[in-house]
Amino acid sequence: MTRSRYTGVAIGLHWLIAALIVALIIIGLTMAHAPIAMATKFQLYQLHKSIGISVLGLAVLRMLWRLTHRPPALPDTMPQLERKAAAGSHWLLYLLMIGLPLTGWALVSVSPLRIPTVLFGVLSWPDLPWLPQLADKARWSAVVDNIHAYGAFVLIALIGLHSAAALRHHFVVGDDVLHRMLPVVKPSGKTASDGAHSERTPT
């Protein structure tokens, strides 16, 4: 049977991860650019690390769920190039959702400051193996910090494109691409082929 919507697990993980990533972006920008007291900055760093590790675990779970549960088919009217772009952007999102927390974890592990990570003030989290023993930690810390920072800006841009594409499908094309990932929405009754008739502008 062809599925018209994502599973409840996929939808729940999608929106939970999205909310946590937004929180990470806000906290990260605040830590890096806001004029805040050192004590507040330290608390934000700990919270940022805690949420980042949470995103890592949830993103791995989401990817495993995606690999074992076929997502709903894209509309038949979607051009092949757009299909490839959608698939590529999804896998790039997975890569960043997993890679960015890993680079953050590596940054903490190689930091000369050796500040311990305590997730949400409760669970002590270990460093990655071998990184604390590296020589010239300051140089490696700067390299990993740049990777983490630039990767975060790539993720922000990709989230913007992903959101814009979903809104375009909903408001311009008129298909059900956005609806199939929304938690609770009544079907509009409009099919993908109906949506195709609502967009007459050639691609």
Side-chain angles (χ1 to χ4, degrees):
M1 183 178 66
T2 302
R3 181 181 293 275
S4 61
R5 282 171 54 81
Y6 282 93
T7 64
V9 171
I11 293 172
L13 287 172
H14 176 276
W15 291 108
L16 177 57
I17 293 171
L20 293 177
I21 287 176
V22 170
L24 284 173
I25 291 171
I26 293 172
I27 294 171
L29 292 174
T30 302
M31 293 186 316
H33 303 291
I36 55 179
M38 286 302 299
T40 302
K41 181 174 289 191
F42 175 81
Q43 293 175 342
L44 288 179
Y45 266 99
Q46 290 292 342
L47 181 59
H48 189 80
K49 291 188 289 184
S50 300
I51 297 175
I53 294 298
S54 301
V55 168
L56 175 60
L58 291 169
V60 170
L61 180 60
R62 175 69 182 94
M63 186 175 69
L64 291 174
W65 188 267
R66 171 67 182 269
L67 291 172
T68 55
H69 295 76
R70 185 188 296 268
L74 293 171
D76 294 335
T77 53
M78 184 180 291
Q80 190 64 26
L81 182 61
E82 189 174 347
R83 289 171 177 269
K84 292 181 179 179
S89 64
H90 273 96
W91 287 111
L92 182 56
L93 275 170
Y94 285 125
L95 176 64
L96 290 169
M97 286 189 297
I98 294 173
L100 276 174
L102 284 175
T103 59
W105 190 2
L107 179 59
V108 172
S109 302
V110 79
S111 172
L113 300 177
R114 300 303 307 273
I115 298 175
T117 298
V118 183
L119 301 184
F120 301 105
V122 175
L123 178 63
S124 180
W125 190 257
D127 291 332
L128 284 169
W130 304 298
L131 294 183
Q133 284 75 47
L134 286 175
D136 197 3
K137 288 187 178 63
R139 181 171 68 88
W140 284 109
S141 180
V143 170
V144 179
D145 187 31
N146 282 331
I147 295 172
H148 189 71
Y150 284 115
F153 285 114
V154 172
L155 178 60
I156 291 171
L158 192 59
I159 290 172
L161 289 173
H162 181 72
S163 302
L167 292 174
R168 173 184 174 271
H169 275 280
H170 186 72
F171 291 107
V172 178
V173 180
D175 57 28
D176 65 346
V177 167
L178 177 61
H179 163 74
R180 62 190 191 154
M181 185 52 89
L182 293 179
V184 181
V185 174
K186 292 183 179 179
S188 63
K190 185 183 293 185
T191 65
S193 58
D194 293 334
H197 293 300
S198 67
E199 185 182 43
R200 297 299 184 180
T201 304
T203 56

